[in-house]
Amino acid sequence: MTEVTVNGKVFQVLISRKELEEKIEALANLINSKYSGEEPPLLVGILNGSFIFMADLVRRLHFPCTIQFIRIESYTGMSTSGVVKMEADVSPRWVGRHVIVIEDIVDTGHTLSRFIPVLKSHQPASVFVCALLFKKEALEVSVQLDEYCFLIGRKFVVGYGLDYDGYGRNLPEIYQLK
Ligand code: 5GP
């Protein structure tokens, strides 16, 4: 499908399934070589948007690891509310762990700039941050972003876990607002 309607708005395909698979494979290879032989890392996925990216990435990892999801929200409709709400189980399980943060998209950077200092205050052994998508032109604050799969423009995107007001997460490709 090259075009879809989500919640009354028309979106066109931006990133195909094949491109997603290739980039996620490349990211998994990089993470495999970085963490093989290390203490098992903890992958922390930021909900809701990262659930499909996380699922596809972890199935390509060849070392023991554990997984945690935390919920951080800032978007209402198609724009950021400016207020970052965080529901995290900030338990001692981050202490001394190699933590890999999995984010769906970095836009203004406020979500990561709020979360990473909280994570680091729990003394993890290391922190590696990856995102599927990076809207570099929209960045408002400097953030730690070690790897990303695709650099995209400012247009609003849905699919592959990302939503428009709750809809569109099940689309297998990434679509951008037409
Ligand atoms: P930031 O805090 O970097 O501005 O935004 C991060 C969060 O905003 C993402 O995790 C995601 O939930 C949401 N977001 C930013 N841009 C988009 C977009 O184009 N589409 C969707 N669906 N969500 C977005």
Side-chain angles (χ1 to χ4, degrees), residues 11 14 20 29 45 53 59-60 64 69-70 112 115 121 146 164 173 177:
F11 291 82
L14 178 67
L20 284 164
N29 289 342
F53 177 37
R59 283 177 289 175
R60 292 175 165 92
F69 282 103
I70 64 161
L112 285 181
F115 174 59
S121 72
D146 300 297
Y164 168 39
E173 284 128 358
L177 191 63

Side-chain angles (χ1 to χ4, degrees), residues 37 39 42 45 54 63 74 78 80 82 99 105 143 165 169 175:
E39 287 296 308
L42 166 66
M54 173 76 115
F63 48 76
S74 61
M78 288 195 191
T80 177
V99 178
I105 179 166
V143 286
D165 262 351
R169 294 192 196 276
Y175 289 81

Side-chain angles (χ1 to χ4, degrees), residues 6-178:
V6 178
N7 216 12
K9 297 255 190 261
V10 180
F11 291 82
Q12 62 190 15
V13 77
L14 178 67
I15 304 170
S16 70
R17 251 173 131 141
K18 187 164 177 285
E19 290 171 306
L20 284 164
E21 278 168 15
E22 285 169 2
K23 286 281 187 177
I24 291 167
E25 182 75 28
L27 177 62
N29 289 342
L30 187 146
I31 294 175
N32 276 324
S33 51
K34 189 170 162 63
Y35 291 91
S36 294
E38 295 287 341
E39 287 296 308
L42 166 66
L43 283 95
V44 178
I46 300 182
L47 288 174
N48 292 324
S50 72
F51 75 108
I52 293 180
F53 177 37
M54 173 76 115
D56 281 351
L57 183 66
V58 292
R59 283 177 289 175
R60 292 175 165 92
L61 300 181
H62 305 315
F63 48 76
C65 59
T66 57
I67 290 164
Q68 177 191 12
F69 282 103
I70 64 161
R71 184 184 301 277
I72 307 179
E73 284 173 3
S74 61
Y75 253 61
T76 316
M78 288 195 191
S79 55
T80 177
S81 67
V83 181
V84 180
K85 285 185 281 176
M86 184 161 64
E87 280 174 35
D89 172 14
V90 283
S91 61
R93 65 174 115 168
W94 292 339
V95 176
R97 298 293 303 271
H98 292 296
V99 178
I100 305 174
V101 178
I102 308 292
E103 172 68 304
D104 54 353
I105 179 166
V106 177
D107 178 23
T108 62
H110 288 292
T111 303
L112 285 181
S113 78
R114 168 99 197 276
F115 174 59
I116 301 298
V118 174
L119 170 61
K120 287 189 171 170
S121 72
H122 289 257
Q123 278 105 41
S126 67
V127 175
F128 185 75
V129 183
C130 6
L132 179 68
L133 307 172
F134 182 27
K135 285 185 182 171
K136 196 174 182 180
E137 293 163 19
L139 201 63
E140 291 177 3
V141 286
S142 74
V143 286
Q144 177 182 346
L145 180 58
D146 300 297
E147 283 296 329
Y148 57 87
C149 296
F150 300 94
L151 198 58
I152 62 167
R154 284 172 167 266
K155 277 195 178 172
F156 188 79
V157 293
V158 292
Y160 197 73
L162 289 121
D163 74 310
Y164 168 39
D165 262 351
Y167 292 94
R169 294 192 196 276
N170 54 319
L171 294 166
E173 284 128 358
I174 303 274
Y175 289 81
Q176 79 175 6
L177 191 63
K178 205 171 162 190

